[in-house]
Amino acid sequence: MLLFDTTPLPRADRAEAFRAAVQESSAPCRVEHREDPAAVHARMQLFPYGTAALLATDATRFRLVRTLRHVARDATPVVCLAFQHRGRGEFAQLGHEQHVRDGDLMLVDMTAPYGFGCATGGGNRALLVPLDQLGLPVDVVRRATPRLRASPLHDLVRAHLQRIADDAPELSADPGAAALGAATVELVRALVVSAAGDARHGPGVREDTLVTRVRAHVARHLTDPALTPAAVARAHGVSVRQLYKALAAAGVSLEQEVITQRLEAARARLSSPAGRRRSIAAVARACGFADPSHFARRFRGAYGMSPGEWQRAAGSR
């Protein structure tokens, strides 16, 4: 959903209009522009993922300052996990200062004042999660804020957020968007507990989010021929027996999960402009299938047509 775009506005009105839009947003702040007001450009979009939402902001150079007055206007306490889609940012809250670069996550407690600046201009992607949905005390969130990079879950969650941000228009409109949002909140919860080193919530969160983390791990390693049950269990610090027990309790088959994700990846590639020019065998290998015949049988069983038929149909649309 498009919240705001300066493009159709007169240049003289853009800076003030952006400030007004931020004040009326789900996270009101004071906006300080670092550009000539006539050169300001900004675009804000909000994509719903169940109880969570992704806020995408692209703008010229600016700084946001959230004060106690702004905090008092919010009826629902929110936690924000964000990253820089483009450019570099500077974040400060409760004594913590952080330079936010492409590979970094930034955790913001929206119940406290903060400052964020983007001196280069660029884009920011922020997942907004109601604190009650996160299920953690605010002191745990605050302990985690300066320690996100120390968590072994940082890069996994970062890659997941990048994916749901890149494909937000399609994913947020999908019938499974709410379930995807719930799984994403679980991953954020696990990251916060891991970074905070919170012994009270750690074991329970690790157990509760194991299946979600395994699915995210599979998505990141689809093309890895060493994506075996033993490798997946080792990556999550559990035995193969514990892994299968947790998956069985959730009604999930690891083999089927891997096959399903690989088939979905292959189907998407075959219908893309680049994929329509590649051979079926090449797409199969790129998506983790060593045997093209096995891939073709699985594809027909899942979608009711051969990979070639799907590829040709995509080219005629």
Side-chain angles (χ1 to χ4, degrees), residues 57-72:
T57 303
D58 295 278
T60 45
R61 298 183 302 163
F62 66 94
R63 176 174 172 76
L64 303 178
V65 178
R66 185 165 163 89
T67 67
L68 285 172
R69 179 173 58 83
H70 295 121
V71 170

Side-chain angles (χ1 to χ4, degrees), residues 133-287:
Q133 294 296 313
L134 194 62
L136 296 171
V138 72
D139 65 293
V140 175
V141 175
R142 292 177 180 179
R143 285 204 304 275
T145 294
R147 303 184 57 206
L148 289 186
R149 263 292 178 190
S151 169
L153 301 180
H154 178 281
D155 290 351
L156 184 152
V157 177
R158 172 67 174 78
H160 178 77
L161 289 187
Q162 181 77 59
R163 178 66 183 275
I164 69 168
D166 288 349
D167 299 331
E170 295 80 18
L171 293 178
S172 64
D174 189 88
L180 176 59
T184 303
V185 171
E186 287 189 37
L187 285 176
V188 174
R189 183 175 172 229
L191 172 64
V192 171
V193 168
S194 172
D198 190 87
R200 295 170 299 164
H201 298 87
V205 169
R206 284 193 295 273
E207 182 176 335
D208 292 346
T209 63
L210 177 59
V211 174
T212 300
R213 289 185 286 119
V214 165
R215 283 174 159 161
H217 179 86
V218 168
R220 293 180 64 204
H221 295 84
L222 279 180
T223 61
D224 186 352
L227 187 63
T228 63
V232 174
R234 187 166 53 250
H236 294 87
V238 297
S239 68
V240 173
R241 179 176 174 275
Q242 289 172 311
L243 173 66
Y244 275 122
K245 182 179 178 181
L247 292 172
V252 175
S253 160
L254 181 60
E255 178 190 15
Q256 190 58 48
E257 182 70 22
V258 173
I259 290 294
T260 298
Q261 289 203 32
R262 283 176 171 169
L263 286 173
E264 284 295 317
R267 184 167 71 156
R269 288 196 183 209
L270 286 169
S271 61
S272 70
R276 293 198 295 270
R277 295 192 295 270
R278 299 187 69 184
S279 69
I280 303 299
V283 171
R285 286 193 300 271
C287 295

Side-chain angles (χ1 to χ4, degrees), residues 4-19 21 38 40-42:
F4 178 75
D5 190 353
T6 56
T7 303
L9 299 178
R11 294 171 65 88
D13 297 338
R14 291 179 180 180
E16 182 56 38
F18 182 37
R19 285 195 291 269
V40 166
H41 174 72

